[in-house]
Amino acid sequence: MIGGHAVKNPFTFKELPIDAPFCDREKELKDLISHAANNVNVVLFSPRRYGKTSLIKRVQARLVQKGFVAVYIDFFGIDSTEDVAARLASQLYAFCHKNESMFQKAMRFMSSWRPVIKPDMYDGLSITAEPVGHKKGMDILDETLSQLGKFAAENDTQFHIVLDEFQEITELPDSLKIEGMVRSHIQTHQNVSYFFVGSRRRILIDIFNEKKRPFYKSAISCKLAPLPKGEAIAFIVERFSSGGKKCPEDIAEMVFDYVNGYPYYIQRIPYSIYEVSEKDTITRDDYVRGALQTMEDEKTIYEALIGALSIQHIKLLSALAHESTASLFSANYMARHGLGSVGGVQGALKKLITLDYIEKRDDGVFCVVDPVFALWLNHLKKN
């Protein structure tokens, strides 16, 4: 309570609003804005819940202030080639709707699609696109990309287009054809910078690094790193202070070390600590209770992550959660954790890396990507 009024928890673990406090990332913001201004294409990747979407939307907000047309398209859950084209058209219409003359121009150029505007209880208006005519599959995508290129070329302003979770196109039957078509069009688009963003890093990186793929070496790669320790500690202390509580630096450091600078948990664990704390100064007991509460709250998500895995996958995941190693295929390590055959481990390893559940660090050590997920797996094994 401050001045007799309850204070809102100063931490948030959902997608951050554009104007919400943001820990560090100023260099990344500056670099990404510069790439967009230079019409450079970028691949931005990191583990899940690293703040990519919040960062990208901040980039686009600043670009809009500079006069850019900034279109954000989420490819998560796409189910067809037509869906890819529809999302492109829908989000372009959604942005242009803010400017009547640009909206009218978009409708002239994007003639394969008709905007559909409906009331929406959350955003006021929902703007989607419906196809005009009978073209489907690669034909409608080809036409849509062509129209988008012509529309961008006819505008004096620069365009910035984000394709979030871009790697999801690899799940479609004609994925390589889609990659080829998208690449053939965007390389001709004038005044447009494309950002390809994703969390399933191995798949996304392969799209741009495999020599036989259409996107080979066609974009700058940007890896989003963990938060720097000093800035993260200062952020935690400051946010507690804004909520009327004092957090000693050593406790903020404990949070950082507990999660290895993982951005999501830098907000998530302090959120729980704030909720369980009863006094104006955060204590170590608050820290312990908050960390345990976070693990309990995240339980449903973790259960979903392992729900579709085989026993072999779970065994390998649990082994690495208990003991990260650079000697994964050593007889001692495999015997110690009951991992069975080398072939079985190799198959499970490939699957878990593809899902981005585990990774091989630069020092050659295999480990679980999400540090709190790893702790939960250890807790699960003990019980």
Side-chain angles (χ1 to χ4, degrees), residues 207-223:
I207 292 174
F208 292 86
N209 283 1
E210 291 183 352
K211 289 184 178 180
K212 295 183 179 181
R213 303 283 281 271
F215 277 98
Y216 177 66
K217 300 298 183 185
S218 64
I220 293 175
S221 290
C222 293
K223 178 183 178 182

Side-chain angles (χ1 to χ4, degrees), residues 71-83:
V71 181
Y72 172 86
I73 304 155
D74 188 355
F75 276 4
F76 183 77
I78 53 172
D79 56 19
S80 65
T81 308
E82 292 90 349
D83 192 13

Side-chain angles (χ1 to χ4, degrees), residues 159-225:
F159 280 59
H160 183 252
I161 299 177
V162 171
L163 305 179
D164 202 354
E165 301 300 347
F166 181 68
Q167 77 284 336
E168 294 303 303
I169 66 171
T170 63
E171 300 294 326
L172 300 177
D174 293 324
S175 61
L176 281 176
K177 289 183 180 179
I178 294 171
E179 286 180 34
M181 180 168 290
V182 174
R183 171 72 176 124
S184 67
H185 277 283
I186 69 170
Q187 68 185 354
T188 68
H189 289 180
Q190 302 297 312
N191 300 322
V192 186
S193 168
Y194 283 89
F195 280 17
F196 305 90
V197 183
S199 301
R200 294 169 67 192
R201 290 172 290 167
R202 181 73 270 146
I203 300 175
L204 184 66
I205 291 168
D206 285 349
I207 292 174
F208 292 86
N209 283 1
E210 291 183 352
K211 289 184 178 180
K212 295 183 179 181
R213 303 283 281 271
F215 277 98
Y216 177 66
K217 300 298 183 185
S218 64
I220 293 175
S221 290
C222 293
K223 178 183 178 182
L224 204 56

Side-chain angles (χ1 to χ4, degrees), residues 49-304:
R49 306 199 290 187
Y50 243 57
K52 292 184 299 300
T53 300
S54 295
L55 174 62
I56 282 297
K57 291 192 174 179
R58 275 171 165 70
V59 168
Q60 291 203 310
R62 296 193 186 184
L63 291 174
V64 169
Q65 292 174 354
K66 296 175 180 289
F68 278 64
V69 172
V71 181
Y72 172 86
I73 304 155
D74 188 355
F75 276 4
F76 183 77
I78 53 172
D79 56 19
S80 65
T81 308
E82 292 90 349
D83 192 13
V84 174
R87 294 193 192 197
L88 287 167
S90 294
Q91 295 308 312
L92 180 64
Y93 277 138
F95 180 89
C96 293
H97 186 257
K98 305 165 191 173
N99 182 307
E100 181 62 28
S101 62
M102 182 173 284
F103 188 58
Q104 293 296 327
K105 195 171 185 179
M107 285 194 290
R108 289 199 306 273
F109 277 90
M110 304 298 292
S111 56
S112 296
W113 298 91
R114 176 178 62 249
V116 178
I117 304 172
K118 296 179 180 179
D120 184 272
M121 65 181 295
Y122 298 106
D123 301 318
L125 288 176
S126 169
I127 302 174
T128 58
E130 291 184 352
V132 176
H134 303 288
K135 287 189 177 180
K136 295 185 179 297
M138 299 299 289
D139 290 336
I140 188 64
L141 180 59
D142 184 26
E143 194 168 78
T144 302
L145 289 166
S146 177
Q147 292 168 354
L148 174 61
K150 291 175 182 176
F151 176 57
E154 287 296 318
N155 280 274
D156 295 331
T157 187
Q158 288 179 274
F159 280 59
H160 183 252
I161 299 177
V162 171
L163 305 179
D164 202 354
E165 301 300 347
F166 181 68
Q167 77 284 336
E168 294 303 303
I169 66 171
T170 63
E171 300 294 326
L172 300 177
D174 293 324
S175 61
L176 281 176
K177 289 183 180 179
I178 294 171
E179 286 180 34
M181 180 168 290
V182 174
R183 171 72 176 124
S184 67
H185 277 283
I186 69 170
Q187 68 185 354
T188 68
H189 289 180
Q190 302 297 312
N191 300 322
V192 186
S193 168
Y194 283 89
F195 280 17
F196 305 90
V197 183
S199 301
R200 294 169 67 192
R201 290 172 290 167
R202 181 73 270 146
I203 300 175
L204 184 66
I205 291 168
D206 285 349
I207 292 174
F208 292 86
N209 283 1
E210 291 183 352
K211 289 184 178 180
K212 295 183 179 181
R213 303 283 281 271
F215 277 98
Y216 177 66
K217 300 298 183 185
S218 64
I220 293 175
S221 290
C222 293
K223 178 183 178 182
L224 204 56
L227 293 173
K229 188 168 186 174
E231 286 83 345
I233 291 172
F235 175 82
I236 293 169
V237 170
E238 185 280 326
R239 294 315 298 151
F240 271 112
S241 178
S242 75
K245 293 180 182 288
K246 180 181 179 181
C247 177
E249 283 195 8
D250 64 321
I251 292 180
E253 184 175 10
M254 289 168 67
V255 172
F256 181 90
D257 291 342
Y258 183 65
V259 302
N260 301 322
Y262 205 105
Y264 172 75
Y265 294 112
I266 292 297
Q267 295 251 22
R268 182 65 183 85
I269 291 177
Y271 177 92
S272 291
I273 294 172
Y274 189 93
E275 289 295 298
V276 301
S277 62
E278 298 175 352
K279 298 181 180 179
D280 292 339
T281 299
I282 302 301
T283 66
R284 292 196 174 207
D285 181 61
D286 294 331
Y287 160 73
V288 171
R289 290 192 296 134
L292 291 173
Q293 185 61 54
T294 296
M295 195 182 298
E296 179 63 27
D297 291 344
E298 297 287 306
K299 177 181 176 182
T300 302
I301 294 173
Y302 299 151
E303 288 175 340

Side-chain angles (χ1 to χ4, degrees), residues 318-363:
S318 297
L320 291 172
H322 179 71
E323 181 186 0
S324 299
T325 182
S327 305
L328 180 59
F329 297 103
S330 72
N332 285 339
Y333 186 87
M334 292 178 63
R336 195 157 60 246
H337 295 283
L339 295 179
S341 69
V342 170
V345 173
Q346 287 175 330
L349 179 66
K350 182 178 179 181
K351 174 73 171 180
L352 292 172
I353 288 177
T354 298
L355 290 172
D356 214 51
Y357 290 3
I358 65 174
E359 65 180 342
K360 185 178 183 181
R361 299 194 314 238
D362 293 341
D363 60 2

